[in-house]
Amino acid sequence: MLSLLIFLPLIGLPLWLWMPPKWHRWGYLTLTLLQSMIVIGGILPEALNTEPNWLKWTENITWIKVSLGSSGWFQINYSVGLDSVNVLMVLLCAIILPIAGYASYSISKNDSKGYYLLMSILNVSLYGCFLAADFFLFFLFFEAILLPMYFLIGKWGGANKESAALQFFLYTLAGSLFILLVMIAVGFSYYDPIETARNVGIPIGSMDSFPGKALSLHIQELIANGRIEPQHIVRTFRFDFGHERDAHGLPLNLIPDSVLSLTKTWNGYSIRSIAFLLLLIGFLIKLPSVPFHTWLPIAHVEAPTPISVILAALLLKVGGYGLLRTAWGYFPDAAITWQGVISGLGLISILYGAWCALAQKDLKRMVAYSSISHMGYVLLGFSAYQYGGVTGSMLQLFNHGIVSASLFLLVGVIYDRTQNRDMNSYQGLWKPMPAFTGFTLLAFFAAMGIPGLNIFIGELLVLSGVFHTPELSLTVKLLATTGMIFSAAYYLRATNQLFFGSFNTLEESWKEKLKDLTLREWIILLPLAILTLLLGLFPQLLTHLFDVGLSNWLPQP
Amino acid sequence: MEFYVGNLEGQIAHLRQSLGHFGPELFLCGWILVQLLTSVIPIIRKNPYVPTILSGIGILITAILVGDQFNTLKYTLQFDWFMGMVRVDGLTLIFKLFAIFSAFGIWLMTLSKNKQFEWGSEFYFFLSIGLLGMLLLSGAVNLLMIFLCLEIISLISYLLTAYFKKPKVGAEAAVKYFIYGSVSSAIQLYGISLLYGISGTLEINDPGFIQGLISDHGYLAILALLFWGVGLAFKLVAVPFHFWSPDVYAGVPASIASFLANGPKLIALVIVIRFSHLFYGTPLQSGFQLLIACVAILSMFWGNLGALRQHKLKRLLAYSGIAHTGYWLSLIACQQPEAETALIWYGFIYLLASSGAFIALSRLEYFTNTDEIRLWTGIGKTYPWTSASLVICLAALGGLPPTAGFFAKINLLIPLFQQWQNQSEAIWLALLLSVLFNTLLALYYYLSPARGLFLKSEPTILNSTLTFEYLPPVWLMPLALIVLGIVPLTEALKWMSTILQIGVVAH
């Protein structure tokens, strides 16, 4: 079922070439809605009924097996699955992608062929990235996001679209090279218990059943004693074997005496912590966090509205999800080592993002910087590596997806009417556009972290996690709480400028154009607004989906 | 091997047996005569399709004959034929396939008739001789035989670069190529004579050859090897003998640039592989590895940095070719069987992607009469299929998914990582990191044609009129790249590594 979910939009590829352009948007919308129906109708009820502990609906096929000669085999699997770490992200895809598809009405009919072609590929890559249960497959989809996104920003963007697209591409690619290096090291250091057991003839019972802890321990012991020769070891990229942990919190399928074993050092530094740092940098570029954030405001300003929505609501989440899945998943010990640095980076992102947002006149740039600030909370929550912090970070990832999508759509509403995003050009918009004002205020208040709206819960849990972690310094704890004040400052300033006072615009002719929301704008904004309210009041709707599984995943107190 | 020495009957029997393993080459010799003879018959001469079809049939039958050799390979125990001149082992056959494939790529390109360049029957005649030279080179294990094959290929390359006299840059390119090429051949020949003087044999698999080189403690052996390497580096376009390629590629039509970039360049690799086997486990090994690794790193950086500032696609592909030579050599430096399998796979994907890029380039050049990327702005809209095919091939060269270039790149990194893991010397880490860094560097310029073709809106070429996009040749390579990027390759890789082990001098 998950493969169907991932690859459904590929049906569209031949369709976009033959269909008349006016049907493209509807065709694409149908496909994304079908995907959402699979997620909401097929996956969620089951995820709610049973405890979503470890990977469900796994599909696992050996894809490529490379011989390493005397070092055994290198196995790449096509393996997808759903668990407590990615269930929220898949749900977010199911919500955002149809909305972004529907919001693509401003794309000209002349080149909509290419647009929906690229959107379909992007769609496949995003679902694939979140559902992949194999590091290699994850990386493949992660890379595959780049090319369609590059063209989508570069062709349908604003004035400086080409340099923005290139900057986005090269930044992310630079990060992915660090990830690639660690991925190869991971591939060398973790074994596949089932395949290895099959190779050396250890009975493992039914092939379909998941290998128990006993099997993993047994094989690890045999390798350590030299009873299994290196040429019989099948090395794997799969995430799901790693969920059995030993006393140190390390995955049980780590090969003793491999590159990533605890004792290995390079010039006096532990290789595990170097590898963690490389992964961290790779994903921080995507997240993005200060000091790797400079591509984001540029990309956002140039991208068309639906692409901005996908960029903010889903692509940034790939960074956060990737960190939790790979960096924290493979190197929980190193995560503790770098705790201070990570929390520092998170804090700087929160504050610096907020200060930059305070200085912006362009609404889209302001929202982009506020995204950086919000992503700082995610990092801070991860740095407090315990239940509260990580739960908060995951809620923050999801809720920021909802709120940033509506913020970018709202900026798009004004931009569609006047082709101007400078907040100083407008005054007193509440009078001609009351509904727009209502939606904007709701999104602004949510983004500020007002209690009762969704962002608040995530930030609160992150902060409580931080305060419950004695290893983090007091300065970080105290300064982190001030982040909310700054975000209130720039959102209130924008509110003040845009909505209060008498109705006035920079150019007289715009007054005609500034009409209230049309029906299709209602359609895209209303679901997001409802979710903002609903998830603010009932956050347990989300936490139910993943908290049981997540607590297995974290170091036990 | 000595059974035929001094025994005439034995020699004749050996030669007769050898002919049985010489099928593709023999057929091609005959076919070249057929092509030559038909081109003088007036009625056929006037018909432009006959030489094209004849050449296509020739390539096809050669391919079938080489495919048949794979079957006989399993049952033979002896691999050296013609008294130690030619070797028919797994490596040979795989490179023969590469040679045929590169010739096929060029043949595909000539299907789209180009106003500026008229493909005469001589062109196909040259192409067949070039293919013959490459087939022979794949199996050559005698220094003289190698030199002869390289010269056949060189002569054909000189002729092809000078084939179209109309654009003046073409003549300039031909003269440049001829002068550099002949000087490097001369140096190589000098190296061969020194090697013969030191070791007393020309057969590289003769144990006396490498023994002679090792026991000679002076600098003479190293000098001889370096001289010998000059000619190879020239063909491989490796730094520091790379400087000719951008000028020459820019001066010739895309099809001939494609011949230079995919034919001799790739096939010369087989000689480097055979030589690398010789040094395995000898005192010269570490020196050889260091030298190759240094050349690899230099080539990667030189190629990629040079390509960053290119505005013409042919020059850009020439520099990218230099960088790819660097990637290949980095795998040769590892000296492991797994690295060799990765190398062959990488070479195959390079062949597909590079031929595809040149095919698309030749079409776009035909549409617009230029290969200036700046002048191509917005024509992606006029010629979507050809432009998309170019973008896919360049993405494969750069190693982006979902093309096969992605796995080829990963497969290239695995042996390098393994090598660093096994012997943690600084050079292996440097090699690994330079490959990674260059991957990033390269994507900047691989994307630049895509930027021009698709992202800028207004077409600057005003005289381009919409002509029919002839799709099959243009889309063959991109489709193959995407399919190979998705299908499971386990069996193909396994087959390749078994084939490569057949007849290889034991490691």
Side-chain angles (χ1 to χ4, degrees), chain A residues 466-493:
Chain A
V466 169
F467 274 96
H468 279 107
T469 311
E471 289 84 6
L472 296 178
S473 83
L474 191 64
T475 330
V476 171
K477 292 173 185 172
L478 290 179
L479 285 177
T481 45
T482 62
M484 282 191 181
I485 302 171
F486 289 114
S487 63
Y490 58 79
Y491 278 119
L492 284 177
R493 186 179 70 107

Side-chain angles (χ1 to χ4, degrees), chain B residues 197-476:
Chain B
I198 295 165
S199 63
T201 176
L202 284 169
E203 286 174 33
I204 59 172
N205 287 327
D206 190 331
F209 181 71
I210 191 71
Q211 277 308 318
L213 289 184
I214 295 164
S215 54
D216 179 86
H217 294 296
Y219 288 106
L220 195 60
I222 294 166
L223 194 70
L225 282 171
L226 285 179
F227 275 5
W228 157 251
V230 168
L232 284 181
F234 181 81
K235 278 275 168 299
L236 272 173
V237 209
V239 171
F241 300 98
H242 62 284
F243 45 81
W244 58 275
S245 79
D247 290 347
V248 173
Y249 286 17
V252 297
S255 52
I256 289 162
S258 167
F259 175 75
L260 296 176
N262 304 324
K265 182 165 144 60
L266 190 57
I267 307 301
L269 202 57
V270 73
I271 306 300
V272 186
I273 295 176
R274 288 195 198 283
F275 259 78
S276 84
H277 289 165
L278 295 183
F279 295 109
Y280 192 79
T282 66
L284 291 174
Q285 188 186 10
S286 60
F288 173 78
Q289 285 183 319
L290 191 67
L291 176 73
I292 295 285
C294 287
V295 173
I297 293 174
L298 279 176
S299 301
M300 274 176 234
F301 275 100
W302 200 290
N304 283 329
L305 290 175
L308 288 181
R309 291 190 58 79
Q310 299 308 319
H311 300 300
K312 292 193 165 183
L313 189 52
K314 273 187 221 154
R315 292 185 73 90
L316 191 150
L317 285 172
Y319 277 105
S320 117
I322 299 171
H324 278 279
T325 305
Y327 301 145
W328 300 341
L329 290 180
S330 71
L331 283 175
I332 287 181
C334 289
Q335 294 218 312
Q336 306 161 353
E338 291 78 46
E340 233 156 70
T341 317
L343 172 62
I344 299 295
W345 186 252
Y346 195 88
F348 176 56
I349 300 300
Y350 168 83
L351 191 54
L352 285 177
S354 170
S355 314
F358 272 109
I359 290 173
L361 161 65
S362 80
R363 293 301 290 164
L364 289 176
E365 194 183 30
Y366 166 57
F367 293 141
T368 61
N369 289 325
T370 177
D371 69 329
E372 284 265 356
I373 297 164
R374 274 177 305 160
L375 298 180
W376 278 358
T377 51
I379 61 167
K381 202 161 181 169
T382 330
Y383 307 106
W385 291 98
T386 315
S387 309
S389 125
L390 181 64
V391 171
I392 292 173
C393 290
L394 291 181
L397 282 175
L400 283 180
T403 64
F406 180 68
F407 177 70
K409 200 54 136 250
I410 304 272
N411 205 12
L412 176 138
L413 288 167
I414 293 170
L416 290 177
F417 191 89
Q418 205 178 5
Q419 186 76 12
W420 176 57
Q421 207 189 345
N422 293 345
Q423 11 179 312
S424 48
E425 283 168 34
I427 183 75
W428 301 118
L429 185 63
L431 207 54
L432 181 64
L433 292 181
S434 12
V435 171
L436 273 177
F437 180 69
N438 275 288
T439 307
L440 174 65
L441 209 56
L443 274 168
Y444 176 82
Y445 66 80
Y446 283 132
L447 278 180
S448 76
R451 270 203 298 286
L453 288 168
F454 286 108
L455 299 192
K456 299 195 173 132
S457 39
E458 62 288 343
T460 46
I461 303 258
L462 297 172
N463 59 354
S464 84
T465 45
L466 188 66
T467 6
F468 177 56
E469 288 185 84
Y470 188 52
L471 289 181
V474 172
W475 264 83
L476 195 66

Side-chain angles (χ1 to χ4, degrees), chain A residues 17 62-71 73-74 76 110-111 136 139-141 143-144 146-147 150-151 154-155 161-162 165-166 169-170 173-174 177-178 180-181 183-185 188 235 257-259 264 266 271, chain B residues 338 381 385 391 395 399-402 406-407 409-411 413-415 417-418 420-422 424 429 432-433 436-441 443-444 447-448 450-451 454-457 485-490 493-494 497:
Chain A
L17 298 178
T62 303
W63 184 18
I64 302 172
K65 208 172 173 182
V66 186
S67 165
L68 294 177
S70 57
S71 312
W73 296 89
F74 216 59
I76 298 165
N110 296 333
D111 40 29
F136 189 94
F139 185 74
L140 190 127
F141 281 122
E143 290 270 276
L146 284 185
L147 215 51
Y150 170 77
F151 284 109
K155 183 150 173 60
K161 53 190 184 179
E162 284 146 45
L166 191 66
F169 188 89
L170 289 182
L173 196 80
L177 289 181
F178 293 118
L180 175 62
L181 194 61
M183 188 188 87
I184 292 176
F188 269 98
R235 286 141 210 268
D257 201 36
S258 59
V259 209
K264 281 284 161 71
W266 184 72
I271 289 200
Chain B
E338 291 78 46
K381 202 161 181 169
W385 291 98
V391 171
L400 283 180
F406 180 68
F407 177 70
K409 200 54 136 250
I410 304 272
N411 205 12
L413 288 167
I414 293 170
F417 191 89
Q418 205 178 5
W420 176 57
Q421 207 189 345
N422 293 345
S424 48
L429 185 63
L432 181 64
L433 292 181
L436 273 177
F437 180 69
N438 275 288
T439 307
L440 174 65
L441 209 56
L443 274 168
Y444 176 82
L447 278 180
S448 76
R451 270 203 298 286
F454 286 108
L455 299 192
K456 299 195 173 132
S457 39
I486 294 167
V487 295
L489 301 163
T490 312
L493 291 170
K494 214 183 273 173
S497 61

Side-chain angles (χ1 to χ4, degrees), chain A residues 195-210:
Chain A
E195 289 286 325
T196 309
R198 193 182 287 171
N199 244 4
V200 292
I202 298 172
I204 52 170
S206 159
M207 286 295 174
D208 301 324
S209 70
F210 203 76

Side-chain angles (χ1 to χ4, degrees), chain A residues 383-445:
Chain A
S383 79
Y385 188 33
Q386 44 93 306
Y387 185 72
V390 176
T391 310
S393 294
M394 292 185 58
L395 283 178
Q396 176 80 343
L397 284 174
F398 186 87
N399 290 331
H400 175 258
I402 303 285
V403 172
S404 67
S406 45
L407 284 170
F408 279 112
L409 289 171
L410 287 162
V411 176
V413 167
I414 292 200
Y415 185 72
D416 279 348
R417 286 166 173 64
T418 62
Q419 314 298 315
N420 183 305
R421 287 186 304 250
D422 191 341
M423 67 170 94
N424 292 339
S425 316
Y426 307 97
Q427 223 176 9
L429 285 181
W430 67 274
K431 211 161 202 174
M433 307 170 79
F436 171 76
T437 310
F439 279 118
T440 313
L441 286 181
L442 183 69
F444 276 9
F445 285 143

